[in-house]
Amino acid sequence: EKGVDDTILLKLKLDNVFLPNSNHFELLEWTQRCVVRDPQREVTVGIAGKYTGLVDSYISILKALEHCSAIEQVKVSIKWIEASKMEEDSHVVEALKDVDGLIVPGGFGKRGVEGKIRCIRFAREHKIPFLGLCYGMQLSVIEFARNVCGHTNANSTEVDPHTPHPVICILPEQEEVEGLGGSM
C-alpha cells in the first residue's frame, strides 16, 4: 500500500524487470520458478558446520539449494551436522550414513575443525559428492594432505601456527586481524 516494494525496485534498478505498479505478474512468474511442483526424486544434503543451531547462518546455502531444487525438480532435505560433535569416527559414520551430498560451509577459528575434517574424509572415502565453501574448501586441502599425501600434522596456520606442514596460510595482510568471528 505504501509503495515500499516499488521504491526498493527503483533503488535496485529492477524497475525495468518488475514494473512498478504493475499487476506483479512478472514477480509471480519469477517466484513460481522456485517451486518444486513434481519432484522426480529426493536427495539429502548434509551441512556440517558449527552454527547449526542457528540455520539463518547458512541462509544463502539454503536459498541456493532451494533454487537448484526447483530447476531440477528434486526435493532437497537438509541434514544438519554439528561439526563440534564429530570428534569420533563413529559419530561421523552415523551422521553421514544417509546423505547424498555434503556441504562444509565457511567459518572461522578452531572449534569444530577436526569434526569437519572427519566429515570431509568420510565423504571422500565413500565417494559422497562434496562442496567446500571458503574455509570448508581449505579444510578439504588439509584433509587431503593428511590422509592422502601422508602429512599427518598438516594444518592451517590459523588453527596451528607451528604446524610442520602449513598447507593453508593466513594472508600476510590478515595476520594482525583478530576477532573476526562471524562479522567479516
Side-chain angles (χ1 to χ4, degrees):
E1 290 177 18
K2 303 291 182 189
V4 173
D5 52 347
D6 294 336
T7 302
I8 292 170
L9 290 174
L10 286 168
K11 282 284 190 193
L12 295 175
K13 297 184 172 94
L14 292 174
D15 53 312
N16 62 341
V17 177
F18 305 112
L19 302 175
N21 299 315
S22 71
N23 64 7
H24 295 284
F25 174 74
E26 296 89 355
L27 186 56
L28 179 62
E29 181 183 348
W30 176 263
T31 56
Q32 286 178 346
R33 291 181 189 171
C34 297
V35 175
V36 178
R37 296 188 199 310
D38 183 27
Q40 304 303 306
R41 61 190 175 104
E42 183 173 343
V43 296
T44 300
V45 175
I47 299 179
K50 61 181 185 178
Y51 308 115
T52 58
L54 182 60
V55 296
D56 279 356
S57 299
Y58 305 111
I59 194 71
S60 60
I61 296 169
L62 296 176
K63 288 298 176 184
L65 290 171
E66 178 184 323
H67 288 253
C68 291
S69 69
I71 295 297
E72 296 298 322
Q73 288 299 299
V74 172
K75 181 178 185 228
V76 176
S77 298
I78 304 299
K79 182 169 187 183
W80 296 104
I81 301 162
E82 178 56 48
S84 60
K85 295 182 179 174
M86 296 295 117
E87 300 300 323
E88 307 260 338
D89 287 338
S90 62
H91 298 153
V92 174
V93 170
E94 184 62 29
L96 297 178
K97 69 180 179 185
D98 57 354
V99 300
D100 300 301
L102 174 66
I103 297 174
V104 176
F108 300 92
K110 297 177 183 181
R111 186 172 68 86
V113 163
E114 293 304 321
K116 289 178 184 181
I117 291 171
R118 280 189 176 83
C119 289
I120 293 166
R121 179 180 184 174
F122 185 90
R124 180 181 54 77
E125 291 177 344
H126 292 88
K127 300 187 182 344
I128 297 171
F130 165 74
L131 175 62
L133 300 173
C134 302
Y135 202 37
M137 180 53 79
Q138 292 177 11
L139 295 177
S140 72
V141 171
I142 295 168
E143 186 279 325
F144 193 86
R146 287 179 182 179
N147 299 306
V148 176
C149 299
H151 299 297
T152 55
N153 293 319
N155 218 323
S156 161
T157 57
E158 178 180 357
V159 175
D160 180 2
H162 306 293
T163 179
H165 302 289
V167 293
I168 301 292
C169 299
I170 299 273
L171 294 171
E173 59 268 19
Q174 292 182 332
E175 288 177 350
E176 302 302 318
V177 177
E178 291 184 24
L180 283 179
S183 59
M184 296 175 59

